[in-house]
Amino acid sequence: MTQHSSIRVAVNGYGVIGKRVSDAVRLQADMELVGVCDIASDWRLRPLEEKAIPLYAASDETAGPMRASGLSVAGTLDALLQTADIVVDCTPKRVAATNVERYRARGIKFIVHGGEKHAVTGHSFVAESSFASAIGRQSTRVVSCNTTSIVRTLSVLKRAGLLKRARGTLLRRATDPWESHEGGIMNTLVPEPEIPSHQGPDAQSVDPDLDVVTMAVKVPETLAHLHYWSVQMTRAAEKEEVLGAFGASSRIALIRTTDGLTAINTVKELMADLGRPHDNLYEVALWEDMLRTEGDELFYAYMVDNQAIVIPETIDAIRALTGLASGADSSIALTNASLGIRQRLF
């Protein structure tokens, strides 16, 4: 990797995650966004010109229709990769796995996301848990939104010596909001057909020591996910001690129903009022007044923004792979400051 004053980042795929990663990269003093790549030729790519972000086509075949639609195309993916130190692949599920050999052949560092299997990179990333083992690697996989939240919350309990085993039920949004007119579900609930659902084993790809089982059901809304957790602790603990453990993570934000944050739509509205881009909730929003302990049992619930929670993790993964930061704490602090991440939302 060529040495520069800042790391040159390419983003392949400018969808739900890609556009948020691109915006976040541009906020980092130690990174430069050199361009994004996509195959679309509609409204989704129009903001790039206004933001002065170079656009590249995935191939010569897709470049023609993109130019015909009036988009300014700087070249193809191969040209973009020549300008970059690292590429963040934000293409749809299973597409990134087909791009991996291309990245490896060029010797470029790369990041994929939770739609891909752990085996694609052999490493799964959540900043507070696996930053150190990612330092200097060629690649990593930033795990899915739900898995990120699971690792964040259970890891702090583990570090506090409180975690024995955890069982969670996930209410999953039906589809991303921007495409809810094309699909999703109505007037029904769709259970994930296997127990455990895939999120628990995925969390164990980050931390194999987690004793976690998840169950999931798809629900007819598009705003966010909602988790309910039942945890057996290693010993009896009071509510205040557990809240103190959650407070050790800078990416868990405590909220209260008594403040009117009684539903996921109210939290999203708060993000808009705070001026967050795309109404992003980067934190796990955990209801502190709902949390209960009964002896060695712990019960709590939280909200996960499926479009935003992995963005800070991706920024930290860039620093880990490229050596921009020597430890998780320094990278997390930089990322949190740039994105306005906080432990209290107001």
Side-chain angles (χ1 to χ4, degrees):
M1 184 175 64
T2 305
Q3 294 299 313
H4 294 269
S5 58
S6 60
I7 291 297
R8 302 173 300 175
V9 182
V11 174
N12 188 10
Y14 196 70
V16 169
I17 300 299
K19 64 185 177 182
R20 289 169 170 81
V21 169
S22 299
D23 287 345
V25 167
R26 297 174 75 210
L27 294 174
Q28 310 308 308
D30 52 0
M31 300 179 194
E32 175 191 358
L33 180 66
V34 294
V36 304
C37 178
D38 208 279
I39 63 172
S41 55
D42 58 19
W43 63 270
R44 289 169 289 179
L45 300 180
R46 303 294 175 188
L48 288 171
E49 185 172 357
E50 185 171 327
K51 294 180 178 182
I53 298 174
L55 171 63
Y56 293 77
S59 65
D60 290 330
E61 290 73 23
T62 57
M66 292 169 76
R67 290 191 174 103
S69 71
L71 291 169
S72 177
V73 179
T76 62
L77 176 59
D78 287 332
L80 174 59
L81 295 179
Q82 290 176 1
T83 70
D85 300 310
I86 186 169
V87 56
V88 182
D89 195 305
C90 303
T91 56
K93 185 176 181 179
R94 289 184 288 273
V95 175
T98 66
N99 293 329
V100 164
E101 290 310 313
R102 196 173 189 174
Y103 303 148
R104 288 195 173 114
R106 286 190 169 274
I108 189 172
K109 292 177 181 287
F110 64 91
I111 295 168
V112 299
H113 285 89
E116 309 307 322
K117 300 293 185 183
H118 173 79
V120 171
T121 63
H123 187 272
S124 293
F125 188 91
V126 175
E128 292 175 325
S129 297
S130 58
F131 189 100
S133 58
I135 293 175
R137 290 181 56 90
Q138 184 189 15
S139 64
T140 190
R141 176 185 73 120
V142 173
V143 296
S144 72
C145 50
N146 283 314
T147 302
T148 296
S149 74
I150 293 168
V151 175
R152 280 189 195 173
T153 53
L154 296 187
S155 292
V156 294
L157 296 175
K158 177 183 174 182
R159 290 193 291 271
L162 292 173
L163 179 65
K164 185 173 183 180
R165 62 176 61 93
R167 307 294 182 254
T169 299
L170 287 58
L171 306 179
R172 302 182 57 208
R173 62 94 179 94
T175 189
D176 288 322
W178 81 272
E179 58 184 359
S180 58
H181 64 292
E182 296 182 348
I185 58 174
M186 290 288 289
N187 196 35
T188 189
L189 301 175
V190 183
E192 193 156 320
E194 295 183 358
I195 299 175
S197 60
H198 70 274
Q199 294 87 3
D202 199 30
Q204 291 168 329
S205 74
V206 180
D207 184 349
D209 294 332
L210 293 178
D211 184 345
V212 55
V213 176
T214 51
M215 300 172 285
V217 56
K218 187 182 293 185
V219 298
E221 57 86 19
T222 66
L223 288 177
H225 306 305
L226 182 64
H227 286 215
Y228 275 86
W229 284 89
S230 173
V231 172
Q232 184 178 5
M233 298 184 287
T234 55
R235 56 177 172 79
E238 296 297 323
K239 176 176 180 176
E240 290 72 21
E241 182 181 1
V242 174
L243 288 174
F246 283 133
S249 169
S250 63
R251 290 181 178 170
I252 298 174
L254 299 179
I255 59 175
R256 296 182 296 262
T257 62
T258 54
D259 289 324
L261 297 173
T262 56
I264 59 177
N265 61 296
T266 61
V267 179
K268 286 292 281 185
E269 186 70 9
L270 174 59
M271 295 303 99
D273 290 344
L274 291 175
R276 292 275 183 94
H278 306 292
D279 307 342
N280 287 337
L281 171 66
Y282 304 111
E283 307 87 344
V284 172
L286 189 148
W287 278 278
E288 66 172 307
D289 52 353
M290 289 174 59
L291 185 147
R292 292 290 181 270
T293 60
E294 296 287 343
D296 66 351
E297 292 183 287
L298 166 63
F299 308 93
Y300 59 90
Y302 61 74
M303 170 183 167
V304 180
D305 186 339
N306 50 286
Q307 300 182 109
I309 191 174
V310 301
I311 305 308
E313 308 300 324
T314 303
I315 297 301
D316 292 328
I318 293 171
R319 289 199 179 95
L321 294 187
T322 61
L324 278 176
S326 59
D329 290 346
S330 59
S331 179
I332 289 171
L334 289 171
T335 304
N336 288 357
S338 68
L339 299 181
I341 292 173
R342 49 211 278 188
Q343 291 176 294
R344 285 278 182 191
L345 295 180
F346 65 94

